[in-house]
Amino acid sequence: MLNSVIPMLRQGLATADCLKLRCKYNDHTLGGKDGIFFLLFRQRCAALDFTYSRFHVQRLLHVPKTCRICYSICMKIFSAFNHQITVKALTLTVAVGALFAFQDCNRQQTAPKAPETPLPATAQKLSRIDDETKAFLDGKHICVVLGYGYNDESFVEKSRLMLDRDYGVETAENAGLILLYVYPDDFDVGGKTRISKLTSLLDERKLAGILILGAPEGMNIPLAKLQDAAGGSLPYPVFSLFTQDDVLASEATADFVLDYAQGGETAALQEEVEVTQDFDADTLISNSIQEMISLKGAVSPDTNLLTFVQDIVGKNRAISHYTDVESGIQAANHFIFQ
């Protein structure tokens, strides 16, 4: 690395005369693009006193802010000694450089880590899971989004109480497995509703799954961004129930889409509808979460989705593949039940 910098140095400074201070910054060795400090000097010894005929601190481009501060301090030290470098001046400079280098090298290691969210001890269903599953869920969350048809105050409150009792709903004061968001209330950005806020809500969160009920138009966009950020496929399941987003986009961004046969098609064409329910939505939510917990990861590509979704819905409801009315094409991961 030093040889690549030599052409930039003043003539007359040999590599043997150079003291290189190097460290790592954000897991990349400083040098080339990231920048590095070189204390370049020619040594002349006189007993215990060291004097250098030439001293130069070469700063490359794109050095981190901390290194620029270090460079400035070093130059002030040598200015104070009129560039006649003694052991004292050299010691001060090296000490300053080492201090800043150590600080940057260990910034990630010494920075306090965000505390992992412990599983709530009082959550009824979590208290019955095995140790392996508890270890998998440690520090993770399952995101539940309540959209159109499921965002009225009474349903939200009932669902919140159920989820908090069984799994724990995370709040500013309490830890919980569930991250519960209600559309549009929790998607306000500067007075406007932005479905894209989902990505920022889940930023730096470790997830064990995403469950969406009544997905509003455009929900597929933040889900697609999450997929792209994960390299094309998410390491956790995504279930979409009673979507009102674009059908094909919903199918592409979820492991499966489930619709209620009596209103599935019309719901997808309207901005907002009230879905008539004659089934227990809380049970469907709970079963979906339980399946996510059992999976401990993404849904396997070779999973029989029809059987998989049937287990979530329950034996009292017969499900079938959704068939597009216009094209007559049967969807592979889109189901309806009556």
Side-chain angles (χ1 to χ4, degrees):
M1 185 181 296
L2 182 60
N3 292 333
S4 65
V5 186
I6 292 301
M8 301 179 62
L9 307 182
R10 295 182 179 180
Q11 295 181 353
L13 293 178
T15 58
D17 299 325
C18 299
L19 171 64
K20 179 175 67 172
L21 295 183
R22 57 183 295 182
C23 71
K24 289 186 178 179
Y25 185 84
N26 286 342
D27 296 330
H28 296 286
T29 302
L30 289 182
K33 295 181 180 179
D34 292 324
I36 192 172
F37 272 92
F38 289 93
L39 302 182
L40 307 173
F41 59 90
R42 178 163 295 174
Q43 178 178 337
R44 292 182 181 177
C45 300
L48 296 179
D49 187 29
F50 290 88
T51 304
Y52 301 93
S53 59
R54 185 180 296 178
F55 186 96
H56 181 65
V57 178
Q58 176 69 45
R59 181 182 61 151
L60 304 185
L61 298 177
H62 307 301
V63 293
K65 180 179 180 181
T66 306
C67 290
R68 294 199 297 270
I69 297 173
C70 177
Y71 173 80
S72 176
I73 295 176
C74 290
M75 294 309 298
K76 289 182 182 298
I77 292 175
F78 290 112
S79 296
F81 283 85
N82 296 319
H83 300 279
Q84 296 299 315
I85 309 307
T86 64
V87 171
K88 183 177 181 180
L90 181 61
T91 302
L92 286 172
T93 306
V94 173
V96 170
L99 177 62
F100 278 86
F102 179 81
Q103 179 181 354
D104 272 345
C105 284
N106 293 278
R107 183 169 65 175
Q108 290 185 341
Q109 291 85 346
T110 58
K113 295 182 179 180
E116 293 188 343
T117 305
L119 296 178
T122 57
Q124 294 181 9
K125 292 192 176 181
L126 289 183
S127 64
R128 298 194 292 266
I129 62 177
D130 56 67
D131 292 339
E132 181 184 355
T133 305
K134 287 181 180 179
F136 169 77
L137 292 176
D138 189 27
K140 293 185 177 69
H141 298 87
I142 291 177
C143 173
V144 177
V145 179
L146 301 179
Y148 291 142
Y150 302 90
N151 56 359
D152 62 277
E153 186 176 348
S154 60
F155 183 84
V156 170
E157 185 60 24
K158 184 178 70 168
S159 298
R160 187 188 303 275
L161 291 174
M162 181 270 293
L163 291 170
D164 193 49
R165 179 196 67 212
D166 292 343
Y167 308 102
V169 174
E170 180 165 286
T171 64
E173 297 79 21
N174 300 310
L177 175 66
I178 304 300
L179 299 173
L180 182 61
Y181 301 117
V182 180
Y183 183 89
D185 297 353
D186 294 321
F187 292 81
D188 181 82
V189 178
K192 295 183 178 180
T193 301
R194 303 293 187 190
I195 194 64
S196 58
K197 186 180 177 181
L198 182 66
T199 53
S200 61
L201 289 172
L202 301 180
D203 187 34
E204 298 183 357
R205 296 281 196 174
K206 294 181 180 180
L207 297 179
I210 297 177
L211 174 62
I212 304 171
L213 280 81
E217 182 181 1
M219 177 60 76
N220 66 88
I221 297 175
L223 291 177
K225 289 183 178 179
L226 290 173
Q227 287 180 335
D228 292 341
S233 60
L234 294 171
Y236 49 82
V238 177
F239 301 164
S240 181
L241 312 180
F242 317 113
T243 181
Q244 296 185 38
D245 194 9
D246 179 80
V247 174
L248 292 178
S250 296
E251 294 170 356
T253 52
D255 291 294
F256 74 81
V257 177
L258 179 66
D259 275 325
Y260 192 55
Q262 292 184 2
E265 184 178 355
T266 56
L269 300 177
Q270 298 177 10
E271 180 180 358
E272 181 177 1
V273 297
E274 291 295 330
V275 180
T276 303
Q277 305 172 1
D278 62 350
F279 61 92
D280 187 355
D282 286 343
T283 299
L284 194 58
I285 294 173
S286 182
N287 289 349
S288 298
I289 293 174
Q290 281 297 125
E291 196 62 45
M292 290 179 174
I293 292 174
S294 300
L295 282 170
K296 301 186 187 71
V299 177
S300 175
D302 58 359
T303 299
N304 185 325
L305 284 178
L306 184 65
T307 304
F308 181 82
V309 177
Q310 184 68 73
D311 291 340
I312 292 176
V313 173
K315 297 179 180 180
N316 294 331
R317 298 281 181 172
I319 69 168
S320 59
H321 286 275
Y322 169 84
T323 301
D324 183 75
V325 177
E326 296 181 358
S327 66
I329 298 176
Q330 187 179 84
N333 68 331
H334 192 167
F335 305 92
I336 58 174
F337 74 98
Q338 296 181 349

